[in-house]
């Protein structure tokens, strides 16, 4: 009878631990999702600002309309991609096309002197800073989450109940430089 009581206490302790660990993992996974949603919002805002700059440039360089049309088609395709890595890849690809348009602005001094253009460039710089901060927060959340699901004893049950490792976001230097403009 006494062994049954000790066994019951052990089962309750293990059950309580599993419940607490599950809830912590669940909360951490939600923080990872939330921080990715923030990155996605900043990417969307940056994309819209870049598109607006591109449209301003197009009024000066009409031959770039095809590139902008391609970017709009790519943007429409974003809704079809649910996986974070695929969405980020799409954004980076779209921004590369937009950058080719934005480089044209260097050939139009009257555009570069425009108040609206200067405000957009400042806005893009702020968005890029916010994106960088959000990326660091996301990576910190992912690191904590991945560490927790990989640590003993959580590794014994985490994957079984649906907790899988997340991928850290890395941005190549060239891709960062594409949108890191300075405003004079």
């Amino acid at each position: 009878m006494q062994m049954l009581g000790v066994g019951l206490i052990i089962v309750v302790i293990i059950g309580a631990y599993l419940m607490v660990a599950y809830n912590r993992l669940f909360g951490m996974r939600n923080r990872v999702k939330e921080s990715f949603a923030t990155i996605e919002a900043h990417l969307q805002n940056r994309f819209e600002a870049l598109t607006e700059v591109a449209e301003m440039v197009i009024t000066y360089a009409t031959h770039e309309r095809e590139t902008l049309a391609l970017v709009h088609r790519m943007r429409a395709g974003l809704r079809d991609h649910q996986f974070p890595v695929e969405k980020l890849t799409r954004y980076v690809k779209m921004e590369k096309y937009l950058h080719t348009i934005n480089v044209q602005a260097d050939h139009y001094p009257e555009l570069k002197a425009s108040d609206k253009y200067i405000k957009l460039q400042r806005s893009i710089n702020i968005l890029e800073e916010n994106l960088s901060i959000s990326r660091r927060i996301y990576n910190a959340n992912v690191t904590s989450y991945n560490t927790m699901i990989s640590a003993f004893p959580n590794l014994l049950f985490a994957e079984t109940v649906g907790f899988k490792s997340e991928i850290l976001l890395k941005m190549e230097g060239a891709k960062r430089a594409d949108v890191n403009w300075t405003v004079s």
Side-chain angles (χ1 to χ4, degrees), residues 37-128:
T38 301
I39 288 172
E40 193 171 15
H42 289 311
L43 284 169
Q44 182 64 33
N45 290 338
R46 184 176 69 175
F47 174 76
E48 288 171 6
L50 288 170
T51 301
E52 204 170 325
V53 168
E55 288 171 349
M56 288 178 73
V57 172
I58 285 173
T59 61
Y60 290 87
T62 57
H63 63 279
E64 298 294 343
R65 289 187 198 281
E66 292 174 14
T67 304
L68 187 61
L70 172 66
V71 168
H72 281 294
R73 284 193 304 275
M74 291 171 75
R75 181 180 181 187
L78 274 175
R79 292 177 195 89
D80 300 336
H81 296 283
Q82 297 302 316
F83 297 108
V85 175
E86 289 178 17
K87 281 188 171 190
L88 291 175
T89 303
R90 279 265 178 151
Y91 275 113
V92 169
K93 193 173 184 182
M94 286 187 301
E95 288 169 0
K96 186 184 346 176
Y97 284 108
L98 283 173
H99 181 66
T100 63
I101 295 172
N102 293 334
V103 167
Q104 294 292 323
D106 291 336
H107 302 292
Y108 302 99
E110 64 276 10
L111 172 64
K112 289 177 71 173
S114 157
D115 283 343
K116 185 175 180 183
Y117 182 80
I118 291 170
K119 286 177 185 175
L120 279 169
Q121 293 297 0
R122 286 188 180 133
S123 172
I124 289 168
N125 286 337
I126 290 168
L127 287 166
E128 186 61 31

Side-chain angles (χ1 to χ4, degrees), residues 111-162:
L111 172 64
K112 289 177 71 173
S114 157
D115 283 343
K116 185 175 180 183
Y117 182 80
I118 291 170
K119 286 177 185 175
L120 279 169
Q121 293 297 0
R122 286 188 180 133
S123 172
I124 289 168
N125 286 337
I126 290 168
L127 287 166
E128 186 61 31
E129 288 174 22
N130 290 341
L131 184 57
S132 177
I133 292 166
S134 296
R135 199 171 22 248
R136 283 193 303 271
I137 291 169
Y138 173 84
N139 282 340
N141 287 337
V142 166
T143 299
S144 295
Y145 172 74
N146 287 347
T147 300
M148 188 159 191
I149 64 174
S150 301
F152 184 81
N154 295 343
L155 67 91
L156 299 174
F157 72 90
E159 193 169 321
T160 307
V161 292

